[in-house]
Amino acid sequence: MRQISSALLATTALAATLAVPALNAAAPRPTGTARHGDSRPATSPPPDARDRTDAPTAPPTATETGTKTGTTARETASAPPPHSPTTPTRSPRTPSAALPSGPCALPGAFPGTLTGVSEAAATPRGFTRATGRVRALTVLIDFPDVRAGISPRARYGEFFPAVPRFFRQSSHGRLDYRSTPILKWIRMSRPLASYDIGRGTSFNPASKNGYYAVAKEIVRTVDRNVDFRAYDLVNVLVTPNAGPPATKNVWSVTFSGGPLGLRTGDGTQLRNISFIWSRQTGPSAYRVLNHENAHSFGLPDLYFTDGRADPHPVGHWDPMDVDWGPENDFLGWHKWKLGWLTPDQVDCVHRPGSTTTHRLTPAAVPGGTKIAVIPVSRYRAYVVEARRTGPLDPTACRPGVLIYRVSSVTPSGRGPVRVADATPKSAGCYRKDPNVRAGLTDATYRPGQTFRAAGLTLSVLRSASNSPDAFRVRITTPKRP
């Protein structure tokens, strides 16, 4: 991280009064969409405590050794699964960037303790790393009363190779995601309803039902042929005709952050497991798995879970808010948190009363500074980044500078990130797809526009070259009170 100055900008008065300008007026939820899957801690809280974000620590998983002899699994990255069996082998890690550090790397709510999924720069142990080679075991299940109507390969093909491709592009090649599928339907022993699964179901080892019961049967079925020590996370793809349609209710969920109370035959504690139900809507429906796996990397839900009329404070600017419809890239803050940005791609602006100018390039453009971070309290910061239409940003129809506030003390599902809308009265510039939160698609600030809040001023400057691949931003921080 490139630090612009040497003193930390942090005042109680500023933290109390700083606010994002009014977001776009409340709008009805897009037709045909559904809320995302949850992220829940490995401690398996009861349904009425599902928004907790704490989770126990756990040591890293054992050294990767591969699948046991005789398995039908095969590792895949950017190609369809091969037909013959193999054993995953240990290989060199993809080069990764340093994790966030310095005065702009926000700590968690309770330093020295666990915070689970959050916007804090540091992710607790027990979650899956998001750089280098990450191995996922992917299994498929159906039920005696809801049998799969498609082949295992067809269901697997709904997500792969698209998932690793997305991670490779978004991470600038720093995440080498590999999936090893078991290409057969694992039939559960009981009818679907008997497991008592719905939105909010926990992973409770004391229960004979729920996700623990499902996972226990999966482990019992594959344990002889799979060495779980070889994998960083587990994906469970449920037959898409089980459960409600995604347009009505989304059951997909991730349990992450620590041991789940289920030990495999090789002594591994099961952890970081995602269950994918039904089918998401839109042309890039695979991204529900990217969303869920990102919970295993430590990212929170950005949408509101309290049932408000307008639950999307970030919209299509990050898949942790909206993961349906056209593709969308991760916010620069998330890329920094996950280790996908190098230190010199981050400008830290933390000197009170300073004025600095920054040249920002969009994520799709190689090299250059990607984000500028302005901390306004110990746990809050404003982030500035350039966004334009690109391979992972087809809805970024108004090239410009995206400004948003990050809070590392706001829980998952309570709006830890808020995008500032440069055109709050506009209907948006991308209205082709009902799955897109159109009102925020033109939230970016253009040259000549200025954002102000409690003494902080962010001005997008006009460029002499008028280059679409770079934006200059002047940042003036308030003086100490």
Side-chain angles (χ1 to χ4, degrees), residues 109-437:
F110 306 102
T113 64
L114 295 171
T115 58
V117 290
S118 77
E119 294 299 345
T123 298
R125 290 186 306 158
F127 289 87
T128 301
R129 69 187 181 279
T131 58
R133 179 159 295 179
V134 171
R135 297 188 190 277
L137 175 67
T138 303
V139 300
L140 301 94
I141 67 170
D142 67 359
F143 301 86
D145 60 327
V146 189
R147 301 193 176 196
I150 60 174
S151 71
R153 187 174 297 277
R155 178 60 165 164
Y156 184 78
E158 293 178 12
F159 301 93
F160 297 94
V163 167
R165 174 193 58 78
F166 177 94
F167 278 133
R168 183 177 64 253
Q169 291 181 342
S170 184
S171 70
H172 309 292
R174 293 187 176 91
L175 174 54
D176 180 15
Y177 184 105
R178 301 294 180 102
S179 171
T180 299
I182 297 180
L183 291 175
K184 66 176 183 179
W185 288 109
I186 299 174
R187 183 149 300 149
M188 298 290 98
S189 64
R190 295 148 45 188
L192 171 60
S194 71
Y195 292 93
D196 196 23
I197 290 176
R199 186 166 176 85
T201 301
S202 67
F203 196 107
N204 184 3
S207 174
K208 294 182 180 180
N209 300 321
Y211 284 104
Y212 179 85
V214 173
K216 187 176 180 179
E217 288 192 34
I218 293 171
V219 170
R220 185 176 60 205
T221 301
V222 305
D223 213 2
R224 177 176 297 180
N225 294 325
V226 174
D227 187 343
F228 283 87
R229 293 172 296 176
Y231 302 102
D232 302 291
L233 53 88
V234 178
N235 299 318
V236 180
L237 307 182
V238 184
T239 179
N241 53 323
T247 53
K248 294 183 178 180
N249 195 0
V250 175
W251 285 4
S252 296
V253 64
T254 295
F255 298 91
S256 58
L260 292 168
L262 178 58
R263 191 178 295 274
T264 66
D266 48 42
T268 301
Q269 275 279 1
L270 193 67
R271 68 187 72 204
N272 295 317
I273 182 170
S274 297
F275 293 84
I276 306 299
W277 295 81
S278 187
R279 284 192 178 100
Q280 196 56 277
T281 57
S284 304
Y286 69 88
R287 285 176 305 114
V288 63
L289 185 53
N290 293 106
H291 174 104
E292 295 301 336
N293 282 174
H295 286 316
S296 290
F297 299 149
L299 297 188
D301 284 316
L302 299 186
Y303 62 90
F304 287 101
T305 59
D306 56 6
R308 64 183 64 194
D310 186 14
H312 303 295
V314 176
H316 231 71
W317 296 107
D318 192 288
M320 301 314 291
D321 186 343
V322 177
D323 62 7
W324 52 70
E327 292 196 273
N328 51 347
D329 205 357
F330 282 105
L331 292 169
W333 175 266
H334 281 165
K335 295 190 180 193
W336 188 35
K337 173 180 168 64
L338 296 176
W340 296 352
L341 298 182
T342 58
D344 63 352
Q345 291 180 304
V346 180
D347 284 353
C348 179
V349 188
H350 58 106
R351 180 181 177 182
S354 67
T355 297
T356 53
T357 300
H358 310 263
R359 186 178 186 273
L360 305 174
T361 60
V365 177
T369 301
K370 299 304 178 187
I371 62 173
V373 182
I374 310 101
V376 296
S377 77
R378 179 169 173 77
Y379 302 116
R380 292 177 176 84
Y382 274 94
V383 184
V384 185
E385 66 180 84
R387 296 290 284 263
R388 70 163 174 80
T389 305
L392 298 184
D393 261 338
T395 67
C397 47
R398 176 181 157 100
V401 173
L402 192 69
I403 301 173
Y404 50 96
R405 189 185 64 187
V406 174
S407 170
S408 63
V409 294
T410 302
S412 174
R414 292 295 181 265
V417 177
R418 304 284 191 96
V419 166
D421 192 349
T423 58
K425 297 181 180 180
S426 168
C429 56
Y430 190 98
R431 296 185 292 273
K432 304 176 184 177
D433 193 317
N435 295 293
V436 175
R437 168 76 158 80

